[in-house]
Amino acid sequence: MAATVEEQMVVKAIREECPWESLPKRLQSTLHTKEEWHRRIVDYCIRKRLQWNTCFARRVCREGEYYEEMMKYLRRNLALYPYHLADYICRVSRISPFRYYCDILFEAMKNEQPYDSIPNFTAADALRLTGVGRNEFIDIMNKCRSKKLMWKLNKSIAKELLPTQPVDFPIDPWWGVCLVNFTIEEFKKLSEEETATIDKICKEEANSYVLFDPKVIDGLYKRGLVYFDVPVYPDDRFKVSRLEGFVSNKDQSYEDPIEELLYAVFVVSSANATVAELAATLLADLYQLQAAASFACRLGWAVKLMDADSVLEDAPTFPSNILSDDEEGSNASINSEKSGQQLLSVDAGPRKISGTAHVALVVDANVTSYLMMGSLSPGLKSHAVTLYEAGKLGDSCIAELCSDLASLEGKKFEGVLEEFANHAFSLRCFLECLQSGGVSTNVNIDKAGEAKLTTSSLQDNVTAHLTKINIEDTDEMPQQKHSDLNSSDGKMLTSSATLLESGEGMEGNDVEGSGTTELDGSTDINVVKTKRKYRVDILRCESLASLPPATLERLFLRDYDIIVSMVPLPSSSVLPGSSGPIHFGPPSYSSMTPWMKLVLYTAGDCGPLSAVFMKGQRIRLLPKPLAGCEKALIWSWDSSVVGGLGGKFEGNLVKGNLLLHCLNSMLKQSAVMVQPLSVNDLNASGNLVTVDIPLPLKSDDQSIASVIAQTNLPQEQVLNLASVLKDLSSKFELSTLGYLRLLRLHRLTESDESHLENGSYQWVPLSLEFGIPLFSPKLCERICERVVESCILQKEDLAEHYDVMQTVRRRLRELCSEYQATGPVAKLFNKRGSSKDLPRVLINTISGRWNPVNDPSAPSEHERLKLAGRQRCRTEVVGFDGTFIRSYALPPEHDEAGTKSLSEEQSSAHDGKPDTEDADSKDVVLPGVNLIFDGAELHPFDISACLQARQPLWLIAEASAASSTMI
């Protein structure tokens, strides 16, 4: 810590240009001598690549010495050529970029370093100028090593094999041509044309490349007599294109502010923002940002927008607005002149979208790795490199990306390649849906603003797309015959859907089938009268996470109206706040944990039996609802992986006889939710049976009938699907993008207790996911169909979606605050001493002794039935004493105290801006009390008799709260 503080004091003193005599005594005693202080000054300025005449180094050393030391430092670290210092290094010192990179390559060869040791930006620039890439580097090294003893004695052999002149590379017309300091001998060797060109460069104020003869300039450049300047001014605008020629080597291990700034520039760059505005967004030094943008333009990774007419195609309605390329001259929704402070002062509420909508599709690094498999489609590799390294794929590249993805159609994939194909097909499907504005080519919007769909053409489009998805499924169910495919009324269309029968990791198998769906495009949809255009960028969530939160918020507010996230997102992803753009994705970090499942179950009063266990407990025996189950689903709170458990997005399905061991292993790392399953809950192969319902979904009968038809379920498997969806959509708004996963459970009634095989089944909600599931092309296709049918992207505003997300945030916040370690329920239940000290009133004895010999059937079904049918009260605790499951009611005074505490907690949570706090906090809120959801309600669960060494719950709760605070 002391060294860190002293280093900070040194940096501050250098920035303030303090002489040795003015330094604090503490620093003087640390630096010892004035010469050491001067050395530290020079080292700091060199690491920051500062100009000699503007930095503190000008007071302690000469200009030539300073730049000589800098070039030694750069060569030693194989660093990038300092183009922003070319006025001295190239003009005076006569060290051209070509010569410098030849020295860099020779340095690596002389030390027999691998090509990967050259940092990626250095390698890319060296390839552009010298033509020496990975293959050429390896070829030269092989030739050197073939000389054996001569190579060991004389390393200069490698320099003889390096090129002697720079290769041809593209030069933009606006690049500047600058002269170096000639010698007399060089001047005498000039031709008449060259002399005239040099005179023109000296006399003309403008020195753009387009003003000169390219052949003459090329000859002068190859002899090192001129160099190119790439000017970037604060008012310039540029857009990032594909990273052609990028070399994927290691990142730099040295300090280079310009090189480090390049990655941030790639992510936040926009054709609508000037360089000065980018600097304000990043809170970066404008001079360094200009240097970074200039380097990106040199390598062709950024294109400078010179002609204003190419950006502003029509006269703006407001002077500060940038217009899109809409033929009707619609106003763009981005105000390019908003400062960072103005952007951050936007009031919370749904954002209005006027004109062209700018959308960011957020994906993770896995998508880039799938696209990197360019051997299947060479064009995809360039897009993948750009997305991975730059963190962004701009709108100008989306059409080409879709075209490259289309080249995969008609191919069959197996094994690992099938997962790549799934993401490729899904990505193309959703990108095309976004670019079309969520409207079919045959959707007409009349004067009244009503959407009318030509269903026959939509049917052909959907059918044609489904035939292109050529992924073979295993364990397919026979296709169901249907006679109403081409019904005379024209209201039915072919659609795809999936009945997932998931295996041990809930990786389900799609059930192929045919079915019919009735469009629910009702006439009361409030859509815009003119089709809204969409511009789409793809962003990599890991690159966004590397930006400071304030910078990221400014980026979202400045450039985007809508953010769409893929499913699943890594837990490290950054979510936009409630005052930012409209977000079709997780509303908060809590929604990516099992808290979301509990909110779904409690809101709909329906769900599978679920038990929640606090982190840090050690279970010696399973409580009765879990004991004897055939299998169980395990969900961890923080996705920590223990022995292969907990890391999967779909949860883990484990055998009942391994449940205790798995539970104890995971409880060391995180809180856990367990959902026990009986033999009758599984299919014949011992797997779960699930069905995914695409969203958005309305509670009206027409919309529900449409999605049920999309599932292609046989009539005998529809069961209570309609009633569950209607009840759930009326209690829990589902007007967003994502999917609802339902689980088929065995429904046990009193008359079925002795004949389990004759019992019926029912569908219950299992999980609700927000975003686009790229892992399933058919589910993604069905979500796109729902987007088209609901016209959700063409509505005048998205206030409905905003309200839905606010409701989800509020419910999550209330549930977390109620049951977390510092919540009222946890404080009441986990009192110091023992939870048994709480006075209770017995309501029910839910289960008796269970003997596996006399009653071999799974006990979980009996407890599930008795839990659901028991007498209930307002404040209830479910307990297991090692033999019996009983429910207790707390006395009225405790009931009132808990209710009062809960109301105070919720009222305080509503004060201020709780939504932004919830969305901005990445801390995982763990439950502070064991819980059980009995199929209808959520209650505290007393399992003191099951804990090893009978640890007091208050001690575990305090330890959990303390550990979360430290994190």
Side-chain angles (χ1 to χ4, degrees):
M1 180 62 67
T4 303
V5 172
E6 290 175 357
E7 185 63 30
Q8 292 175 354
M9 293 176 65
V10 168
V11 171
K12 182 181 179 182
I14 294 176
R15 289 177 177 174
E16 295 176 353
E17 298 190 1
C18 294
W20 170 257
E21 294 76 13
S22 302
L23 286 180
K25 296 297 182 181
R26 178 178 178 179
L27 283 185
Q28 288 186 355
S29 61
T30 302
L31 298 172
H32 302 298
T33 63
K34 185 176 182 179
E35 289 72 20
E36 176 66 17
W37 171 235
H38 290 174
R39 188 187 65 80
R40 296 287 290 271
I41 294 173
V42 173
D43 288 347
Y44 175 83
C45 295
I46 288 177
R47 290 199 311 271
K48 297 297 182 182
R49 312 294 194 276
L50 301 179
Q51 284 184 310
W52 176 84
N53 56 358
T54 61
C55 68
F56 194 19
R58 71 185 184 278
R59 300 182 182 274
V60 298
C61 69
R62 297 179 179 179
E63 186 175 16
E65 296 174 354
Y66 174 76
Y67 286 114
E68 184 179 353
E69 287 296 323
M70 177 180 288
M71 297 310 294
K72 290 180 181 179
Y73 170 83
L74 297 179
R75 288 192 183 96
R76 185 168 60 251
N77 290 282
L78 308 180
L80 196 64
Y81 184 85
Y83 286 102
H84 63 294
L85 304 177
D87 183 60
Y88 186 92
I89 295 176
C90 204
R91 181 179 62 85
V92 180
S93 299
R94 298 292 299 273
I95 302 176
S96 67
F98 172 76
R99 175 186 163 189
Y100 171 78
Y101 284 123
C102 285
D103 293 342
I104 289 291
L105 293 172
F106 174 68
E107 191 72 21
M109 293 176 180
K110 182 179 67 173
N111 298 326
E112 300 197 29
Q113 297 175 248
Y115 185 76
D116 290 338
S117 64
I118 304 176
N120 42 27
F121 287 121
T122 303
D125 200 21
L127 174 62
R128 178 181 68 98
L129 296 176
T130 66
V132 178
R134 189 183 307 275
N135 295 336
E136 292 79 8
F137 185 92
I138 294 174
D139 182 60
I140 293 175
M141 289 302 298
N142 289 338
K143 290 180 180 178
C144 292
R145 292 190 180 106
S146 66
K147 300 184 182 294
K148 297 182 180 179
L149 182 61
M150 187 180 295
W151 165 245
K152 292 182 179 180
L153 296 176
N154 184 13
K155 298 291 185 179
S156 61
I157 297 175
K159 183 173 289 187
E160 298 173 358
L161 298 176
L162 289 172
T164 57
Q165 284 189 343
V167 298
D168 295 330
F169 57 89
I171 303 172
D172 288 341
W174 55 273
W175 286 16
V177 181
C178 303
L179 298 176
V180 301
N181 292 347
F182 288 20
T183 63
I184 297 178
E185 290 76 12
E186 290 172 334
F187 189 79
K188 290 179 179 179
K189 294 179 181 180
L190 294 176
S191 64
E192 293 183 1
E193 292 182 348
E194 292 173 342
T195 303
T197 300
I198 290 174
D199 290 341
K200 186 177 180 181
I201 294 174
C202 295
K203 295 177 181 179
E204 295 286 342
E205 293 184 3
N207 63 341
S208 297
Y209 177 74
V210 70
L211 301 176
F212 305 99
D213 186 351
K215 292 183 179 180
V216 175
I217 296 297
D218 182 64
L220 292 172
Y221 176 77
K222 289 186 176 180
R223 284 151 53 194
L225 302 181
V226 298
Y227 64 95
F228 296 110
D229 178 39
V230 182
V232 174
Y233 303 104
D235 292 335
D236 287 341
R237 303 173 189 270
F238 66 94
K239 62 179 181 179
V240 175
S241 56
R242 291 197 297 177
L243 302 188
E244 296 287 354
F246 188 89
V247 180
S248 298
N249 281 358
K250 74 181 186 70
D251 293 332
Q252 82 279 6
S253 57
Y254 51 88
E255 184 178 357
D256 189 342
I258 296 176
E259 192 167 341
E260 294 165 1
L261 199 58
L262 270 172
Y263 287 105
V265 169
F266 289 148
V267 179
V268 305
S269 64
S270 171
N272 297 313
T274 64
V275 173
E277 290 166 354
L278 293 181
T281 300
L282 293 171
L283 297 180
D285 180 74
L286 179 59
Y287 177 74
Q288 292 182 347
L289 188 63
Q290 289 176 252
S294 174
F295 177 76
C297 292
R298 279 183 187 273
L299 273 72
W301 298 341
V303 179
K304 188 176 180 180
L305 302 178
M306 300 295 296
D307 185 8
D309 293 336
S310 65
V311 181
L312 309 177
E313 293 193 5
D314 295 295
T317 304
F318 301 100
S320 60
N321 277 358
I322 299 300
L323 297 187
S324 70
D325 59 352
D326 194 334
E327 294 179 358
E328 300 184 7
S330 60
N331 291 332
S333 59
I334 300 175
N335 187 340
S336 64
E337 295 184 1
K338 285 183 178 179
S339 65
Q341 290 76 12
Q342 291 173 325
L343 289 173
L344 291 177
S345 63
V346 177
D347 295 334
R351 295 181 60 181
K352 302 293 183 181
I353 302 176
S354 58
T356 301
H358 295 254
V359 184
L361 175 61
V362 179
V363 300
D364 63 3
N366 289 330
V367 174
T368 63
S369 64
Y370 296 142
L371 297 179
M372 190 72 75
M373 302 172 71
S375 57
L376 301 175
S377 178
L380 291 177
K381 186 172 183 179
S382 175
H383 294 298
V385 170
T386 302
L387 183 58
Y388 183 81
E389 297 293 347
K392 177 180 179 179
L393 204 58
D395 175 74
S396 59
C397 302
I398 299 301
E400 189 176 354
L401 172 63
C402 291
S403 177
D404 290 333
L405 291 173
S407 64
L408 301 178
E409 293 178 358
K411 299 181 181 180
K412 295 184 179 181
F413 303 98
E414 298 178 354
V416 178
L417 293 183
E418 184 175 345
E419 188 173 1
F420 158 72
N422 287 345
H423 284 75
F425 290 134
S426 300
L427 184 61
R428 182 200 170 198
C429 175
F430 188 66
L431 286 176
E432 291 178 345
C433 178
L434 281 178
Q435 286 189 311
S436 68
V439 177
S440 173
T441 55
N442 298 282
V443 173
N444 299 322
I445 302 177
D446 61 12
K447 294 181 180 180
E450 297 176 353
K452 297 181 178 180
L453 290 82
T454 307
T455 58
S456 58
S457 299
L458 182 58
Q459 172 181 338
D460 296 338
N461 292 342
V462 175
T463 305
H465 186 84
L466 291 178
T467 57
K468 296 175 184 178
I469 299 180
N470 210 357
I471 301 175
E472 297 182 350
D473 296 322
T474 57
D475 301 332
E476 296 178 352
M477 293 179 59
Q479 294 188 358
Q480 304 298 318
K481 296 182 178 180
H482 58 285
S483 58
D484 53 353
L485 178 61
N486 297 311
S487 54
S488 58
D489 57 3
K491 293 182 180 180
M492 315 301 286
L493 60 96
T494 302
S495 61
S496 71
T498 306
L499 170 65
L500 298 178
E501 295 187 354
S502 56
E504 291 290 322
M506 283 190 65
E507 297 175 356
N509 299 320
D510 295 345
V511 178
E512 296 275 4
S514 302
T516 58
T517 277
E518 184 172 351
L519 292 178
D520 60 316
S522 56
T523 58
D524 60 346
I525 297 178
N526 184 22
V527 297
V528 293
K529 296 181 180 180
T530 303
K531 178 182 174 182
R532 180 187 294 128
K533 295 189 65 176
Y534 276 75
R535 289 182 173 272
V536 185
D537 293 343
I538 303 179
L539 303 179
R540 189 169 66 92
C541 62
E542 290 84 0
S543 297
L544 296 178
S546 65
L547 297 175
T551 299
L552 186 62
E553 187 172 0
R554 285 191 294 270
L555 169 66
F556 283 157
L557 289 171
R558 188 199 70 194
D559 287 348
Y560 299 108
D561 302 299
I562 298 174
I563 308 292
V564 183
S565 299
M566 64 168 286
V567 176
L569 273 180
S571 57
S572 59
S573 302
V574 181
L575 304 180
S578 59
S579 61
I582 299 296
H583 184 210
F584 290 105
S588 66
Y589 294 99
S590 299
S591 66
M592 297 189 288
T593 67
W595 284 122
M596 188 65 235
K597 294 177 176 56
L598 296 177
V599 168
L600 178 65
Y601 302 160
T602 54
D605 300 325
C606 181
L609 177 66
S610 306
V612 176
F613 298 93
M614 296 163 51
K615 176 184 176 181
Q617 297 179 116
R618 182 76 178 175
I619 310 295
R620 66 182 182 89
L621 65 101
L622 293 173
K624 186 60 76 67
L626 276 61
C629 65
E630 179 67 16
K631 290 184 179 180
L633 268 174
I634 298 184
W635 310 81
S636 67
W637 238 261
D638 59 356
S639 299
S640 58
V641 181
V642 180
L645 297 173
K648 280 200 168 185
F649 164 70
E650 301 91 350
N652 294 97
L653 190 63
V654 300
K655 295 181 179 179
N657 55 1
L658 300 176
L659 179 58
L660 180 60
H661 169 72
C662 296
L663 185 59
N664 281 327
S665 298
M666 295 183 65
L667 285 176
K668 298 177 182 178
Q669 308 294 330
S670 174
V672 178
M673 183 170 74
V674 181
Q675 296 172 330
L677 302 166
S678 68
V679 177
N680 300 283
D681 295 327
L682 308 174
N683 62 5
S685 58
N687 297 324
L688 296 176
V689 180
T690 62
V691 63
D692 291 334
I693 304 298
L695 305 179
L697 177 65
K698 292 288 187 179
S699 59
D700 59 275
D701 295 336
Q702 193 175 13
S703 178
I704 292 175
S706 174
V707 297
I708 292 178
Q710 283 182 316
T711 59
N712 297 326
L713 288 173
Q715 189 60 38
E716 62 273 12
Q717 294 190 23
V718 174
L719 305 172
N720 65 327
L721 191 57
S723 60
V724 168
L725 291 180
K726 186 174 182 62
D727 183 63
L728 192 60
S729 58
S730 62
K731 297 178 179 178
F732 198 99
E733 289 292 336
L734 300 174
S735 300
T736 184
L737 300 188
Y739 66 94
L740 172 68
R741 176 164 290 180
L742 300 177
L743 173 66
R744 192 191 70 178
L745 291 180
H746 184 260
R747 181 170 57 189
L748 185 66
T749 62
E750 294 292 343
S751 59
D752 291 329
E753 287 192 37
S754 58
H755 301 85
L756 296 177
E757 66 278 2
N758 296 327
S760 59
Y761 291 91
Q762 62 178 344
W763 293 102
V764 297
L766 179 62
S767 60
L768 175 62
E769 304 300 337
F770 302 94
I772 300 301
L774 297 182
F775 58 83
S776 174
K778 295 183 180 179
L779 179 57
C780 185
E781 174 78 20
R782 290 160 55 199
I783 292 175
C784 293
E785 291 176 26
R786 296 297 309 157
V787 170
V788 171
E789 294 171 11
S790 63
C791 291
I792 189 173
L793 297 181
Q794 290 297 323
K795 294 184 178 180
E796 291 185 355
D797 60 57
L798 295 173
E800 181 182 6
H801 176 267
Y802 176 83
D803 294 339
V804 169
M805 292 296 100
Q806 288 296 91
T807 302
V808 174
R809 288 190 184 98
R810 176 180 55 80
R811 287 176 169 173
L812 280 165
R813 187 176 61 253
E814 290 175 355
L815 190 72
C816 292
S817 61
E818 182 177 359
Y819 294 112
Q820 64 183 350
T822 57
V825 175
K827 289 179 180 178
L828 180 64
F829 188 72
N830 298 330
K831 284 190 174 182
R832 184 175 292 273
S834 175
S835 58
K836 292 184 178 180
D837 296 338
L838 281 175
R840 305 175 179 182
V841 178
L842 177 64
I843 304 177
N844 298 288
T845 299
I846 300 173
S847 69
R849 294 180 182 274
W850 174 65
N851 189 331
V853 178
N854 299 331
D855 186 8
S857 62
S860 58
E861 290 203 23
H862 293 276
E863 275 102 44
R864 196 161 68 202
L865 174 64
K866 294 179 179 179
L867 277 169
R870 73 183 188 280
Q871 179 185 353
R872 303 176 185 275
C873 70
R874 182 185 179 98
T875 304
E876 186 178 353
V877 176
V878 178
F880 178 67
D881 60 3
T883 304
F884 299 98
I885 299 179
R886 295 185 175 92
S887 61
Y888 300 90
L890 296 181
E893 59 270 17
H894 292 276
D895 187 355
E896 294 174 1
T899 305
K900 181 179 179 181
S901 177
L902 177 59
S903 62
E904 292 175 354
E905 188 87 15
Q906 292 178 356
S907 62
S908 62
H910 282 286
D911 297 336
K913 296 182 179 180
D915 289 340
T916 56
E917 293 174 3
D918 177 64
D920 294 340
S921 176
K922 282 189 175 183
D923 296 334
V924 178
V925 179
L926 299 179
V929 62
N930 297 318
L931 301 170
I932 185 168
F933 180 78
D934 58 14
E937 295 179 354
L938 186 65
H939 296 289
F941 191 26
D942 185 4
I943 59 167
S944 301
C946 301
L947 298 180
Q948 186 174 0
R950 303 292 182 92
Q951 303 108 314
L953 288 179
W954 63 266
L955 180 60
I956 298 174
E958 288 184 4
S960 178
S963 62
S964 62
T965 303
M966 293 174 63
I967 293 175

